[in-house]
């Protein structure tokens, strides 16, 4: 199960039959999405995952990390 920013809409793929993740089956299995989503948020809270909006760089901001520079445009 994956979610893409900024929609935060969960996607679910059957990797046994769709290795390229081209067919989102989340709508077909809402109970699985609810269960996995609840497990994700429980894990995220327990491990201190930070919401992307909190750490997202501003457009054009340069961040330095471990001696490297990275730019966002």
């Amino acid at each position: 199960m994956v979610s893409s920013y900024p929609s935060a809409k969960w996607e679910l793929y059957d990797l046994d039959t769709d290795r390229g993740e081209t067919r989102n089956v989340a709508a077909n299995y809402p109970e699985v999405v609810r269960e996995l989503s609840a497990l994700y948020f429980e894990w995220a809270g327990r491990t201190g995952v930070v919401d992307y909006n909190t750490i997202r760089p501003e457009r054009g901001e340069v961040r330095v990390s471990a001696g490297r520079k990275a730019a966002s445009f």
Side-chain angles (χ1 to χ4, degrees):
M1 193 161 87
V2 297
S3 175
S4 58
Y5 181 84
S7 71
K9 184 176 180 180
W10 291 111
E11 299 172 10
L12 183 66
Y13 298 96
D14 180 349
L15 297 180
D16 287 336
T17 62
D18 182 20
R19 301 279 294 163
E21 298 180 5
T22 61
R23 294 180 301 277
N24 180 4
V25 297
N28 299 345
Y29 302 97
E31 68 286 350
V32 173
V33 172
R34 278 192 298 275
E35 180 182 349
L36 292 175
S37 177
L39 288 169
Y40 167 79
F41 285 111
E42 186 273 325
W43 170 83
R46 193 176 69 245
T47 59
V49 171
V50 178
D51 182 81
Y52 182 69
N53 285 324
T54 304
I55 61 171
R56 182 179 66 175
E58 293 297 321
R59 191 167 181 84
E61 179 181 347
V62 175
R63 291 189 173 197
V64 178
S65 175
R68 296 181 178 176
K69 291 185 179 180
S72 300
F73 301 101

